[in-house]
Amino acid sequence: MEHKKKISVAIDGPSGAGKSTLARAAAKELGLLYVDTGAIYRTVTLYVLRRGAEPKDAAAVAALLPEAGITMDYDPSGLQRMYLNGEDVTDQIRSQEVSMAASSAASHPAVRAFLLEMQRDMAKRRSVVMDGRDIGTVVLPEADVKIFLTASSEARARRRWLELQQRGVSGDFDQLLRETRERDENDMNRAAAPLRPAADAITLDTTEINFQESLARLIEIIRERTGL
């Protein structure tokens, strides 16, 4: 269902706060298109790693961008598929290597400028729920609803640990906690579009509530602000 008036919902927050899962579920419930911007940045990161460049090297990363063909589509189930120069890399961009490098690659102004119009164009054409690090502050500053979704670093690391366990992958909780805090530090202190709530964003802390409670609250906020 596409709404007569274009509706944009911006959801920002730190890594592991549940943005993607909650935003996708809320979009489905409300009949909006879900756009995972983190997946777009991960695709750039995968390309940088494949080319053997250092994700922290701004000049090296910028030099590669003209050759990075980043496109996205949706499969019949509504899942966002990411393509790198025609190759479906939806699964490859979820590796731990890409996860740890994505924050560095995404911090460069050249990368953010490269992907900015792609993200804005989605919101111009469709009613969207878009999640990331700077959606409400930079990408869609005029969004109808801005939500800052967060949780304690311990809660986010534990959720990641449980997710790995369910997939049959071993993970060290203390290491995951260190990595979570490191990503937070990088995201909040980068020069380009640092992670922070928009001035008019509503903060939703999910540390003490489960997924269903978080989803219900998220949908309630969106409905209150848009009349859906």
Side-chain angles (χ1 to χ4, degrees):
M1 175 180 67
E2 182 63 17
H3 304 276
K4 291 181 179 179
K5 175 185 179 295
K6 293 291 187 297
I7 293 168
S8 55
V9 179
I11 301 179
D12 293 307
S15 173
K19 297 187 303 294
S20 297
T21 310
L22 286 166
R24 183 184 296 110
K28 183 177 181 181
E29 174 72 20
L30 297 168
L32 307 175
L33 182 71
Y34 168 61
V35 181
D36 176 4
T37 65
I40 304 174
Y41 283 99
R42 282 170 176 266
T43 305
V44 171
T45 304
L46 177 65
Y47 183 66
V48 170
L49 291 171
R50 284 183 172 182
R51 291 296 302 272
E54 168 53 58
K56 294 181 180 179
D57 187 333
V61 171
L64 292 174
L65 293 178
E67 302 170 24
I70 311 294
T71 54
M72 56 184 282
D73 203 352
Y74 292 83
D75 65 20
S77 71
L79 177 66
Q80 179 177 313
R81 311 295 302 186
M82 294 306 307
Y83 296 86
L84 175 58
N85 294 325
E87 176 193 354
D88 187 337
V89 293
T90 306
D91 295 329
Q92 291 91 319
I93 63 174
R94 298 300 170 183
S95 72
Q96 189 67 5
E97 181 186 19
V98 172
S99 295
M100 287 309 298
S103 183
S104 295
S107 70
H108 304 310
V111 174
R112 307 201 76 80
F114 178 67
L115 298 175
L116 183 60
E117 285 310 313
M118 178 183 181
Q119 296 169 80
R120 286 179 173 170
D121 185 60
M122 296 295 293
K124 289 176 184 175
R125 293 188 287 113
R126 300 283 298 274
S127 288
V128 300
V129 175
M130 191 177 291
D131 77 315
R133 302 287 196 282
D134 64 347
I135 308 305
T137 53
V138 177
V139 180
L140 300 178
E142 303 300 322
D144 298 289
V145 188
K146 299 176 188 177
I147 297 167
F148 192 79
L149 187 68
T150 190
S152 70
S153 55
E154 290 81 6
R156 289 181 282 128
R158 185 159 300 282
R159 290 169 188 171
R160 176 63 174 161
W161 182 80
L162 289 171
E163 177 188 323
L164 291 173
Q165 296 295 306
Q166 290 168 358
R167 287 163 45 191
V169 179
S170 61
D172 180 81
F173 174 76
D174 290 335
Q175 180 182 345
L176 289 171
L177 180 57
R178 285 193 300 272
E179 291 175 353
T180 297
R181 289 172 172 165
E182 179 183 331
R183 290 195 68 180
D184 287 351
E185 182 73 15
N186 291 340
D187 288 341
M188 290 187 292
N189 293 293
R190 66 190 182 201
L195 172 66
R196 59 181 174 80
D200 53 348
I202 300 165
T203 297
L204 175 55
D205 190 323
T206 67
T207 300
E208 302 293 340
I209 56 178
N210 63 29
F211 175 79
Q212 290 301 329
E213 292 169 327
S214 301
L215 178 59
R217 179 60 185 138
L218 180 60
I219 291 174
E220 179 184 19
I221 293 170
I222 296 171
R223 287 193 189 280
E224 286 176 351
R225 296 302 186 279
T226 64
L228 288 177

